Amino acid sequence: MTLFCLPILGCSSDNSDGGDAITPSNLAVNITKLGFSDSTPNGDGSGTISLTATAVNATLYKINFGNGQLVESTTGIVNHTFTDMGTNTYTIYVSAYNGAKFISKTITTMVYVSPELLWSDEFNVNGAPNSTYWGYDIGTGSNGWGNNEAQYYTNRPENVIVQDGILKINLIKEVYSGSNYTSARILTKDKFSFKYGRVEIKAKLAAGGGTWPALWMLGNNIGTAGWPGCGEIDIMEHVGNSQNKIYGTLHHPGHSGGNADGGNVTISNASTEFHVYAVDWTSSYIKFYVDNQLYYSFVNNNSLPFNQNFFLIFNCAMGGNFGGNIDPNFTSTTLEVDYVRVFQ
């Protein structure tokens, strides 16, 4: 069978086979988004659309929604729900058949999918972080946690505490167990992890030369795959030697350390005001935001380690390969987190 195709507009079969069947004609496609209005032109957030296809002499319709899902319908009326969060543009392929003969059409539409809260910590109970959610890394790790960092991580209230609705990680200049600085590193490993979603963290960042606060994630399989094989998603990193410069970074095999993929943006008042640091993570992309401003996008695919469960880590390091030179006059600073919310 020979196909005659026009780019974007579609294609149709010729009449060289298929018996006496007549090739369908006048294919029309209409899409209605659930909850459409002037104020919600991309739908109500459910991601649901109703597609209606009509064509003269058509007996069967085949619709490909661009995600590998092919739907067949004898009526041409199909409902479909998209699941990727946010507002995305989708390309839909519609074919009208009569036997082996067909006509096709391509149509694009924008659909909004609102996230639903999967997990959060609002840090509303004074005292130690909720042990149901958080554990601790203690000590200096291997070679200063692999980065030549100068701090010793503890689980003492002096270094990590929830007070008046705020998680506080205090970086302090003091001699402790052979180190000259103390801080804390809390993580949800073996307590909470997730695959894909939107993470929002409202935080006010530590300040001072050498400080290195970070809000980030690691793949659950770090115990077997190691690093960077497990993948690392740095939602937010900040170094006091480059005040107000926010980094969003991805580490994976062939792209780690100084060769990692990422972007940065400069904001105002990172250490004196709260800002919302966020990442949208799907099988197709990972996008980084500050206060809903997109500043870096990364194309994800199934060859990368960013398609498994990840857990959260909050810490405030001192010095090291990224933190850099330590201000000799430094005494203390605090990384404050108002909330962390994970949506899917």
Side-chain angles (χ1 to χ4, degrees), residues 107-335:
I107 188 168
T108 61
T109 189
M110 294 181 68
V111 180
Y112 171 63
V113 178
S114 62
E116 294 184 5
L117 185 65
L118 173 69
W119 177 92
S120 72
D121 195 341
E122 304 294 325
F123 302 111
N124 286 334
V125 179
N126 287 348
N130 187 338
S131 61
T132 302
Y133 298 159
W134 302 98
Y136 304 87
D137 278 332
I138 304 295
T140 58
S142 175
N143 185 31
W145 301 100
N147 300 297
N148 296 302
E149 299 163 27
Q151 79 290 332
Y152 190 103
Y153 287 132
T154 84
N155 59 358
R156 306 179 305 163
E158 292 90 341
N159 293 117
V160 57
I161 193 167
V162 176
Q163 291 179 324
D164 301 323
I166 302 294
L167 168 70
K168 298 179 179 180
I169 295 180
N170 298 312
L171 176 58
I172 304 169
K173 183 177 183 179
E174 61 176 332
V175 176
Y176 186 91
S177 293
S179 296
N180 293 320
Y181 304 89
T182 62
S183 186
R185 172 162 149 161
I186 65 173
L187 64 167
T188 66
K189 187 174 186 291
D190 300 324
K191 296 174 182 285
F192 169 73
S193 65
F194 65 102
K195 175 182 174 182
Y196 306 144
R198 179 178 175 88
V199 184
E200 296 182 354
I201 306 169
K202 186 176 181 180
K204 183 164 62 176
L205 308 182
T211 61
W212 177 7
L215 310 168
W216 52 300
M217 302 192 293
L218 283 174
N220 268 7
N221 66 342
I222 186 170
T224 54
W227 184 92
C230 65
E232 176 179 326
I233 303 174
D234 297 328
I235 302 168
M236 186 292 305
E237 288 184 290
H238 177 267
V239 290
N241 287 316
S242 298
Q243 182 64 34
N244 293 321
K245 191 173 185 178
I246 305 301
Y247 297 86
T249 311
L250 297 160
H251 301 264
H252 53 104
H255 298 265
S256 61
N259 190 41
D261 294 307
N264 60 78
V265 63
T266 299
I267 65 173
S268 300
N269 307 315
S271 299
T272 56
E273 296 181 3
F274 283 91
H275 297 269
V276 177
Y277 303 94
V279 63
D280 279 337
W281 169 31
T282 75
S283 60
S284 303
Y285 59 78
I286 304 174
K287 298 180 179 181
F288 293 80
Y289 304 80
V290 178
D291 295 331
N292 287 320
Q293 175 190 350
L294 174 66
Y295 68 93
Y296 178 64
S297 297
F298 175 84
V299 177
N300 192 16
N301 63 65
N302 59 14
S303 71
L304 299 171
F306 306 116
N307 299 284
Q308 59 166 321
N309 277 34
F310 273 60
F311 61 87
L312 293 157
I313 307 173
F314 296 172
N315 70 284
C316 191
M318 176 59 96
N321 302 340
F322 196 47
N325 295 329
I326 299 173
D327 180 356
N329 296 315
F330 174 87
T331 56
S332 66
T333 189
T334 302
L335 167 62

